[in-house]
Amino acid sequence: AHAEVMQFASRIGLDAGAAMLADELRSGYRGPVLATLGGLPLPHSGSYSGAELVGPRQETRLDVWVGGESHPYLDGHRIDDVPVVPMVLVLEWLVRAARLCRPELPVVRCEDLEVLRGVRLERFRDGAAPLTICCRQLENGDKALLAAELRDEAGELRYRATLQLDAARAEEDAAAAVDLGELSTEPWPWRGDEVYREQLFHREGFQVIRSLEGVSESGGAAVLGGTRDMGWPEGAWQTDPAALDGGLQ
């Protein structure tokens, strides 16, 4: 694993292992590498400490440690001066778990994403908060339906969602084009560099809005920076959390 330390609690199938290796090679990461096998969970020097494939239900579990050392960019996502895990990063983790569960199928849709309770990182500077992501297969075949959830160290459910995986649908979505020219807009009431002064709480690595192009009752247009643009650690990202958060902003 790249900048993140992963310890696998049980055997990983050939398909899952091959997919993870391909993700690492595509990431282009050139930093230090540390691989561990067996033993107890590692300290929070990285993000992931465990991945487990469980039984015939094809259930995947990831144990994640989140703190200032492993996720420094979260310092820019504070509410009441406490870093909070953004929903888009939880979505990234859920998609990664789905890829482990069914590595041969791409994730095409996330539905019914529920934020039951946000994750506040009270020990952000002094330690790391352990979180658990579980992904369970509900439907099998050429396309799959997975139930995914995130729980805190006390086992309390914080997030849950349903993920659809479908190779044919992924090809159809890739071929579809969005015509922004059909969106009739008026100027935004602010410039791009003004929204982070009063309208939005985001700081540092989450100030992704480059310019505000236009807005209307049916939609809006803006230029956003992505995960790489904002200097987030390189890795095998399955989504672009920074750009997705910009869309929510």
Side-chain angles (χ1 to χ4, degrees), residues 23-82:
D23 284 343
E24 293 294 334
L25 294 176
R26 285 197 300 265
S27 74
Y29 180 74
R30 296 293 182 269
V33 175
L34 174 62
T36 66
L37 296 174
L40 297 174
L42 295 173
H44 58 80
S45 55
S47 297
Y48 299 95
S49 75
E52 185 175 358
L53 304 185
V54 183
R57 292 183 303 168
Q58 287 188 274
E59 180 177 282
T60 302
R61 187 173 69 245
L62 297 176
D63 295 322
V64 183
W65 272 260
V66 186
E69 183 178 348
S70 59
H71 298 76
Y73 51 91
L74 293 183
D75 196 41
H77 195 263
R78 290 176 170 266
I79 299 178
D80 295 331
D81 203 35
V82 176

Side-chain angles (χ1 to χ4, degrees), residues 3 6 12 110 190:
M6 303 179 70
I12 296 176
C110 175
W190 320 282

